PDB file of all heavy atoms in Angstrom:
ATOM      1  N   ILE A  20     -12.699  -1.692  -1.555  1.00 57.00           N
ATOM      2  CA  ILE A  20     -14.125  -1.756  -1.297  1.00 57.00           C
ATOM      3  C   ILE A  20     -14.823  -0.541  -1.865  1.00 57.00           C
ATOM      4  O   ILE A  20     -16.017  -0.424  -1.802  1.00 57.00           O
ATOM      5  CB  ILE A  20     -14.436  -1.915   0.203  1.00 57.00           C
ATOM      6  CG1 ILE A  20     -14.231  -0.610   0.952  1.00 57.00           C
ATOM      7  CG2 ILE A  20     -13.579  -2.971   0.814  1.00 57.00           C
ATOM      8  CD1 ILE A  20     -14.660  -0.727   2.388  1.00 57.00           C
ATOM      9  N   ALA A  22     -14.834   2.411  -5.283  1.00 61.00           N
ATOM     10  CA  ALA A  22     -14.295   2.702  -6.602  1.00 61.00           C
ATOM     11  C   ALA A  22     -13.720   4.099  -6.577  1.00 61.00           C
ATOM     12  O   ALA A  22     -14.445   5.074  -6.437  1.00 61.00           O
ATOM     13  CB  ALA A  22     -15.414   2.612  -7.637  1.00 61.00           C
ATOM     14  N   MET A  46     -16.054  27.961  -2.356  1.00 73.00           N
ATOM     15  CA  MET A  46     -16.233  27.217  -1.109  1.00 73.00           C
ATOM     16  C   MET A  46     -16.274  25.717  -1.361  1.00 73.00           C
ATOM     17  O   MET A  46     -15.989  24.921  -0.492  1.00 73.00           O
ATOM     18  CB  MET A  46     -17.545  27.631  -0.430  1.00 73.00           C
ATOM     19  CG  MET A  46     -17.643  29.096  -0.128  1.00 73.00           C
ATOM     20  SD  MET A  46     -16.578  29.542   1.214  1.00 73.00           S
ATOM     21  CE  MET A  46     -17.631  29.211   2.609  1.00 73.00           C
ATOM     22  N   PHE A  52     -10.817  17.720  -1.432  1.00 84.00           N
ATOM     23  CA  PHE A  52      -9.927  17.224  -0.380  1.00 84.00           C
ATOM     24  C   PHE A  52     -10.681  16.392   0.633  1.00 84.00           C
ATOM     25  O   PHE A  52     -10.191  15.391   1.143  1.00 84.00           O
ATOM     26  CB  PHE A  52      -9.234  18.390   0.327  1.00 84.00           C
ATOM     27  CG  PHE A  52      -8.214  19.069  -0.528  1.00 84.00           C
ATOM     28  CD1 PHE A  52      -8.423  20.363  -0.973  1.00 84.00           C
ATOM     29  CD2 PHE A  52      -7.053  18.422  -0.885  1.00 84.00           C
ATOM     30  CE1 PHE A  52      -7.483  20.996  -1.772  1.00 84.00           C
ATOM     31  CE2 PHE A  52      -6.114  19.046  -1.683  1.00 84.00           C
ATOM     32  CZ  PHE A  52      -6.326  20.328  -2.129  1.00 84.00           C
ATOM     33  N   ILE A  60      -9.771   7.055   4.440  1.00 85.00           N
ATOM     34  CA  ILE A  60     -10.128   6.442   5.714  1.00 85.00           C
ATOM     35  C   ILE A  60     -10.763   5.087   5.466  1.00 85.00           C
ATOM     36  O   ILE A  60     -10.536   4.135   6.203  1.00 85.00           O
ATOM     37  CB  ILE A  60     -11.115   7.338   6.502  1.00 85.00           C
ATOM     38  CG1 ILE A  60     -10.399   8.604   6.944  1.00 85.00           C
ATOM     39  CG2 ILE A  60     -11.660   6.604   7.717  1.00 85.00           C
ATOM     40  CD1 ILE A  60     -11.253   9.525   7.760  1.00 85.00           C
ATOM     41  N   VAL A  61     -11.557   5.007   4.391  1.00 83.00           N
ATOM     42  CA  VAL A  61     -12.244   3.753   4.123  1.00 83.00           C
ATOM     43  C   VAL A  61     -11.282   2.731   3.511  1.00 83.00           C
ATOM     44  O   VAL A  61     -11.369   1.548   3.784  1.00 83.00           O
ATOM     45  CB  VAL A  61     -13.438   4.005   3.178  1.00 83.00           C
ATOM     46  CG1 VAL A  61     -14.115   2.703   2.842  1.00 83.00           C
ATOM     47  CG2 VAL A  61     -14.426   4.941   3.822  1.00 83.00           C
ATOM     48  N   ASP A  63      -7.113   2.702   2.009  1.00 69.00           N
ATOM     49  CA  ASP A  63      -5.948   3.447   1.518  1.00 69.00           C
ATOM     50  C   ASP A  63      -4.930   2.526   0.849  1.00 69.00           C
ATOM     51  O   ASP A  63      -4.895   1.334   1.113  1.00 69.00           O
ATOM     52  CB  ASP A  63      -5.303   4.249   2.647  1.00 69.00           C
ATOM     53  CG  ASP A  63      -4.490   3.370   3.573  1.00 69.00           C
ATOM     54  OD1 ASP A  63      -5.101   2.546   4.256  1.00 69.00           O
ATOM     55  OD2 ASP A  63      -3.263   3.513   3.583  1.00 69.00           O
ATOM     56  N   LEU A 359       7.212   3.139   5.524  1.00 54.00           N
ATOM     57  CA  LEU A 359       5.982   3.677   6.089  1.00 54.00           C
ATOM     58  C   LEU A 359       5.204   2.615   6.839  1.00 54.00           C
ATOM     59  O   LEU A 359       4.267   2.926   7.569  1.00 54.00           O
ATOM     60  CB  LEU A 359       5.086   4.244   4.987  1.00 54.00           C
ATOM     61  CG  LEU A 359       5.535   5.584   4.448  1.00 54.00           C
ATOM     62  CD1 LEU A 359       4.617   6.029   3.338  1.00 54.00           C
ATOM     63  CD2 LEU A 359       5.541   6.607   5.558  1.00 54.00           C
ATOM     64  N   GLN A 373      -0.377  20.818  -1.721  1.00 75.00           N
ATOM     65  CA  GLN A 373      -0.637  22.252  -1.616  1.00 75.00           C
ATOM     66  C   GLN A 373      -0.155  22.968  -2.875  1.00 75.00           C
ATOM     67  O   GLN A 373      -0.819  23.866  -3.388  1.00 75.00           O
ATOM     68  CB  GLN A 373       0.062  22.818  -0.379  1.00 75.00           C
ATOM     69  CG  GLN A 373      -0.568  22.331   0.912  1.00 75.00           C
ATOM     70  CD  GLN A 373       0.257  22.663   2.136  1.00 75.00           C
ATOM     71  OE1 GLN A 373       1.466  22.791   2.059  1.00 75.00           O
ATOM     72  NE2 GLN A 373      -0.403  22.801   3.268  1.00 75.00           N
TER      73      GLN A 373
ATOM     74  N   SER B   3     -24.354 -17.204   4.341  1.00 39.00           N
ATOM     75  CA  SER B   3     -24.044 -17.120   5.775  1.00 39.00           C
ATOM     76  C   SER B   3     -23.412 -15.804   6.190  1.00 39.00           C
ATOM     77  O   SER B   3     -22.596 -15.781   7.105  1.00 39.00           O
ATOM     78  CB  SER B   3     -23.115 -18.254   6.215  1.00 39.00           C
ATOM     79  OG  SER B   3     -23.623 -19.464   5.795  1.00 39.00           O
ATOM     80  N   ARG B  34     -12.610  -2.931   8.274  1.00 85.00           N
ATOM     81  CA  ARG B  34     -11.744  -1.753   8.161  1.00 85.00           C
ATOM     82  C   ARG B  34     -11.538  -1.120   9.535  1.00 85.00           C
ATOM     83  O   ARG B  34     -10.429  -0.739   9.894  1.00 85.00           O
ATOM     84  CB  ARG B  34     -12.379  -0.753   7.196  1.00 85.00           C
ATOM     85  CG  ARG B  34     -11.599   0.514   7.032  1.00 85.00           C
ATOM     86  CD  ARG B  34     -10.272   0.265   6.375  1.00 85.00           C
ATOM     87  NE  ARG B  34      -9.577   1.514   6.122  1.00 85.00           N
ATOM     88  CZ  ARG B  34      -8.315   1.599   5.764  1.00 85.00           C
ATOM     89  NH1 ARG B  34      -7.611   0.518   5.613  1.00 85.00           N
ATOM     90  NH2 ARG B  34      -7.752   2.772   5.538  1.00 85.00           N
ATOM     91  N   LYS B  55      -1.570   6.938   5.964  1.00 79.00           N
ATOM     92  CA  LYS B  55      -0.610   7.822   5.305  1.00 79.00           C
ATOM     93  C   LYS B  55      -1.263   8.818   4.369  1.00 79.00           C
ATOM     94  O   LYS B  55      -0.904   9.989   4.338  1.00 79.00           O
ATOM     95  CB  LYS B  55       0.406   6.990   4.512  1.00 79.00           C
ATOM     96  CG  LYS B  55       0.815   5.713   5.180  1.00 79.00           C
ATOM     97  CD  LYS B  55       1.469   5.923   6.521  1.00 79.00           C
ATOM     98  CE  LYS B  55       1.740   4.597   7.186  1.00 79.00           C
ATOM     99  NZ  LYS B  55       2.263   4.767   8.546  1.00 79.00           N
ATOM    100  N   GLU B  56      -2.231   8.354   3.581  1.00 80.00           N
ATOM    101  CA  GLU B  56      -2.833   9.273   2.611  1.00 80.00           C
ATOM    102  C   GLU B  56      -3.588  10.386   3.306  1.00 80.00           C
ATOM    103  O   GLU B  56      -3.707  11.487   2.772  1.00 80.00           O
ATOM    104  CB  GLU B  56      -3.773   8.503   1.680  1.00 80.00           C
ATOM    105  CG  GLU B  56      -2.991   7.749   0.631  1.00 80.00           C
ATOM    106  CD  GLU B  56      -3.862   6.788  -0.149  1.00 80.00           C
ATOM    107  OE1 GLU B  56      -5.092   6.904  -0.079  1.00 80.00           O
ATOM    108  OE2 GLU B  56      -3.290   5.933  -0.815  1.00 80.00           O
ATOM    109  N   ASN B  60      -3.077  14.728   3.326  1.00 84.00           N
ATOM    110  CA  ASN B  60      -4.161  15.597   2.909  1.00 84.00           C
ATOM    111  C   ASN B  60      -4.091  16.922   3.665  1.00 84.00           C
ATOM    112  O   ASN B  60      -3.982  16.927   4.890  1.00 84.00           O
ATOM    113  CB  ASN B  60      -5.497  14.869   3.212  1.00 84.00           C
ATOM    114  CG  ASN B  60      -6.675  15.539   2.559  1.00 84.00           C
ATOM    115  OD1 ASN B  60      -6.866  16.741   2.686  1.00 84.00           O
ATOM    116  ND2 ASN B  60      -7.469  14.751   1.873  1.00 84.00           N
ATOM    117  N   TYR B 121     -15.231  23.869   7.839  1.00 87.00           N
ATOM    118  CA  TYR B 121     -14.811  25.266   7.897  1.00 87.00           C
ATOM    119  C   TYR B 121     -15.001  25.825   9.305  1.00 87.00           C
ATOM    120  O   TYR B 121     -14.116  26.475   9.848  1.00 87.00           O
ATOM    121  CB  TYR B 121     -15.660  26.124   6.945  1.00 87.00           C
ATOM    122  CG  TYR B 121     -15.276  26.037   5.494  1.00 87.00           C
ATOM    123  CD1 TYR B 121     -16.001  25.255   4.608  1.00 87.00           C
ATOM    124  CD2 TYR B 121     -14.207  26.777   4.997  1.00 87.00           C
ATOM    125  CE1 TYR B 121     -15.663  25.209   3.272  1.00 87.00           C
ATOM    126  CE2 TYR B 121     -13.874  26.736   3.649  1.00 87.00           C
ATOM    127  CZ  TYR B 121     -14.604  25.952   2.794  1.00 87.00           C
ATOM    128  OH  TYR B 121     -14.281  25.907   1.459  1.00 87.00           O
ATOM    129  N   ALA B 140      -4.353  26.200   5.070  1.00 84.00           N
ATOM    130  CA  ALA B 140      -4.118  24.751   5.084  1.00 84.00           C
ATOM    131  C   ALA B 140      -4.054  24.200   3.672  1.00 84.00           C
ATOM    132  O   ALA B 140      -3.197  23.376   3.360  1.00 84.00           O
ATOM    133  CB  ALA B 140      -5.225  24.056   5.868  1.00 84.00           C
ATOM    134  N   VAL B 146       1.405  30.587  -1.419  1.00 77.00           N
ATOM    135  CA  VAL B 146       0.915  31.929  -1.741  1.00 77.00           C
ATOM    136  C   VAL B 146       1.242  32.873  -0.588  1.00 77.00           C
ATOM    137  O   VAL B 146       1.436  32.454   0.541  1.00 77.00           O
ATOM    138  CB  VAL B 146      -0.610  31.938  -1.962  1.00 77.00           C
ATOM    139  CG1 VAL B 146      -0.953  31.295  -3.265  1.00 77.00           C
ATOM    140  CG2 VAL B 146      -1.315  31.236  -0.843  1.00 77.00           C
ATOM    141  N   ARG B 191     -18.343   5.931  -4.051  1.00 77.00           N
ATOM    142  CA  ARG B 191     -19.053   4.773  -4.603  1.00 77.00           C
ATOM    143  C   ARG B 191     -18.570   3.506  -3.918  1.00 77.00           C
ATOM    144  O   ARG B 191     -17.477   3.031  -4.165  1.00 77.00           O
ATOM    145  CB  ARG B 191     -18.784   4.674  -6.105  1.00 77.00           C
ATOM    146  CG  ARG B 191     -19.714   5.542  -6.892  1.00 77.00           C
ATOM    147  CD  ARG B 191     -19.390   5.639  -8.378  1.00 77.00           C
ATOM    148  NE  ARG B 191     -18.748   4.482  -8.923  1.00 77.00           N
ATOM    149  CZ  ARG B 191     -17.778   4.547  -9.814  1.00 77.00           C
ATOM    150  NH1 ARG B 191     -17.331   5.717 -10.212  1.00 77.00           N
ATOM    151  NH2 ARG B 191     -17.236   3.461 -10.304  1.00 77.00           N
ATOM    152  N   LEU B 193     -18.305  -0.338  -3.446  1.00 66.00           N
ATOM    153  CA  LEU B 193     -18.479  -1.501  -4.303  1.00 66.00           C
ATOM    154  C   LEU B 193     -19.186  -2.602  -3.558  1.00 66.00           C
ATOM    155  O   LEU B 193     -19.215  -2.621  -2.331  1.00 66.00           O
ATOM    156  CB  LEU B 193     -17.116  -2.026  -4.745  1.00 66.00           C
ATOM    157  CG  LEU B 193     -16.304  -1.120  -5.669  1.00 66.00           C
ATOM    158  CD1 LEU B 193     -14.946  -1.739  -5.890  1.00 66.00           C
ATOM    159  CD2 LEU B 193     -17.019  -0.924  -6.984  1.00 66.00           C
TER     160      LEU B 193
END
Side-chain angles (χ1 to χ4, degrees):
Chain A
I20 75 174
M46 302 288 273
F52 289 112
I60 292 182
V61 177
D63 76 293
L359 284 178
Q373 291 169 333
Chain B
S3 309
R34 178 66 175 168
K55 322 299 175 185
E56 282 170 15
N60 192 309
Y121 282 101
V146 287
R191 275 172 29 219
L193 293 175

